[in-house]
Amino acid sequence: MEQQSNGKAIASLILGIISVVCIFFGYGALLGIILAVIGLVLGISAKKTAPSGMATAGIVLSIIGLAACAIAFLACIACVGALASLS
Amino acid sequence: MLPVIHFFGHTIAMYGLMIVLGAIAGVLTAISLGKRYSIKAEDILFSFLYGIIGLIAGAKILYLLIELPWIIENFELLVQNPDYIMSLLTGGFVFYGGLIGGLLMLICYCRKYKLKLYDMLPAIVPVIPLVHAFGRIGCFFAGCCYGIPYDGPFSITFRISDYAPNNQPLFPVQLAESTVNFIIFIILYIMSRKKIQARRILAVYMLMYSIMRFVLEFARGDTARGILLGLSTSQWFSIGLFACSIFLIAYKGKIKNKNI
């Protein structure tokens, strides 16, 4: 059970890191939101079964990724809207 | 009004920023309320995050369902132009979908980790209108969810909005809804601090929000309202929510001995 939980924590950490990186790739923020959500669910599950620093780091990075991607992603609406109004 | 701000060369959308600020304010308030009910801050944070995930998914799914006739009608256009698909995915969230999605995810969290839902509700329910109030300020900045043409006191005129008609005085429906949401939050916060039953807190929220939303929908000027029999989709949901709140209030006699 602890080994499985460790795997979830590692997955959460990796997904959290990727979601943070996605902020810098325009529409990649959509992918960032999806990855951050999966990272959060896995991180919470790992933290609940066997609390570890890695699980906490995964949750924190996923929260940062989710928040930042949400801001960046919603900024893209304005870009699309602006293009639509020009055409 | 102010759709984006520039920060060290980066463009930040005010709508997204307000949502994030609302979520931060919400989770801090929920944690402070949770202490009064001896709920661990960790459980409040995690259930809140589950709720946020459900909120995003639910709000988007309901928006896409409302837009389904348009999507079917313009399917070829969408396939040819990926920008329209991205526009559909990014733009448009329906609050009632988010409310249902958020509550379902909260139930999922409580079931998965064997927590009592009714223990969590007094800490979580009051922050729903708080986050929503911040979101409506975000709508105001972005210029979406705008009001009907109106030339009276407190009217607002957008100059650089991509959504609202520019240079035309409009009813400030976003700010009106935000103000009422803040008032609802204060009432629920006081109720929660006084340890009033979770069922009553939930019922009061559903009752006040449904009435407010039903009335303010008449002041909405944006066209994507999903009109059915003269009422918008949100007004139909308001009627349903109102009925549920009455049921919750009326049902008290039979469940008064339970902790809800």
Side-chain angles (χ1 to χ4, degrees):
Chain A
M1 179 69 91
E2 198 169 314
Q3 201 173 7
Q4 191 186 15
S5 174
N6 200 30
K8 283 181 183 176
I10 294 168
S12 169
L13 185 66
I14 293 168
L15 291 172
I17 292 167
I18 298 172
S19 71
V20 170
V21 174
C22 282
I23 301 161
F24 303 101
F25 294 98
Y27 283 135
L30 175 62
L31 180 69
I33 289 177
I34 296 165
L35 295 180
V37 164
I38 300 168
L40 267 178
V41 173
L42 290 176
I44 289 170
S45 176
K47 179 102 174 135
K48 280 280 184 183
T49 16
S52 67
M54 208 182 291
T56 309
I59 292 168
V60 171
L61 281 171
S62 297
I63 292 172
I64 294 169
L66 182 64
C69 285
I71 295 174
F73 193 48
L74 291 175
C76 292
I77 300 175
C79 302
V80 172
L83 285 172
S85 64
L86 284 172
S87 59
Chain B
M1 195 55 66
L2 183 65
V4 292
I5 54 169
H6 299 282
F7 186 72
F8 290 111
H10 292 278
T11 304
I12 298 172
M14 283 301 287
Y15 180 76
L17 187 64
M18 291 310 294
I19 292 281
V20 171
L21 287 178
I24 293 168
V27 78
L28 292 176
T29 310
I31 288 171
S32 98
L33 284 172
K35 279 181 189 168
R36 295 184 75 81
Y37 292 87
S38 307
I39 307 169
K40 283 194 279 183
E42 185 186 272
D43 279 325
I44 293 283
L45 175 66
F46 292 165
S47 60
F48 192 86
L49 289 170
Y50 262 65
I52 292 282
I53 293 167
L55 187 141
I56 295 170
K60 179 46 69 185
I61 289 168
L62 188 56
Y63 174 74
L64 290 177
L65 285 175
I66 291 170
E67 291 292 318
L68 199 59
W70 186 90
I71 294 169
I72 294 168
E73 203 176 305
N74 298 282
F75 189 71
E76 279 187 23
L77 185 75
L78 286 170
V79 173
Q80 287 164 5
N81 198 338
D83 268 355
Y84 284 114
I85 296 174
M86 291 311 290
S87 181
L88 268 176
L89 289 174
T90 57
F93 292 90
V94 180
F95 171 73
Y96 276 122
L99 185 67
I100 295 165
L103 284 175
L104 284 177
M105 283 300 281
L106 184 64
I107 293 167
C108 280
Y109 180 83
C110 290
R111 286 203 165 189
K112 192 174 177 186
Y113 297 109
K114 295 178 176 59
L115 295 165
K116 283 181 183 168
L117 177 67
Y118 288 105
D119 288 344
M120 304 290 282
L121 284 179
I124 298 289
V125 173
V127 303
I128 299 172
L130 178 67
V131 179
H132 198 182
F134 274 90
R136 284 298 179 216
I137 296 172
C139 291
F140 173 71
F141 280 123
C144 60
C145 310
Y146 53 88
I148 51 173
Y150 163 79
D151 208 4
F154 306 112
S155 66
I156 48 159
T157 306
F158 290 95
R159 306 283 180 204
I160 50 166
S161 174
D162 292 323
Y163 310 103
N166 288 312
N167 302 314
Q168 183 181 13
L170 301 171
F171 183 76
V173 69
Q174 309 100 321
L175 295 182
E177 192 168 334
S178 179
T179 308
V180 180
N181 266 317
F182 273 121
I183 294 167
I184 295 173
F185 159 69
I186 292 166
I187 294 168
L188 297 181
Y189 184 81
I190 293 167
M191 287 177 76
S192 181
R193 280 187 71 87
K194 287 186 175 175
K195 294 199 172 182
I196 289 172
Q197 287 174 316
R199 176 178 53 80
R200 286 191 180 182
I201 296 172
L202 186 63
V204 167
Y205 170 65
M206 288 160 72
L207 189 74
M208 287 195 291
Y209 184 76
S210 59
I211 294 170
M212 179 268 282
R213 185 67 190 260
F214 188 89
V215 174
L216 283 180
E217 277 289 302
F218 290 112
R220 288 281 288 265
D222 46 337
T223 48
R225 317 291 319 133
I227 300 294
L228 182 70
L229 299 172
L231 296 176
S232 70
T233 314
S234 291
Q235 281 175 317
W236 284 110
F237 273 105
S238 293
I239 293 169
L241 199 66
F242 181 81
C244 289
S245 67
I246 296 297
F247 173 78
L248 271 177
I249 293 165
Y251 203 65
K252 66 180 178 183
K254 294 184 181 176
I255 55 174
K256 67 181 176 185
N257 292 329
K258 293 185 181 176
N259 189 29
I260 52 173

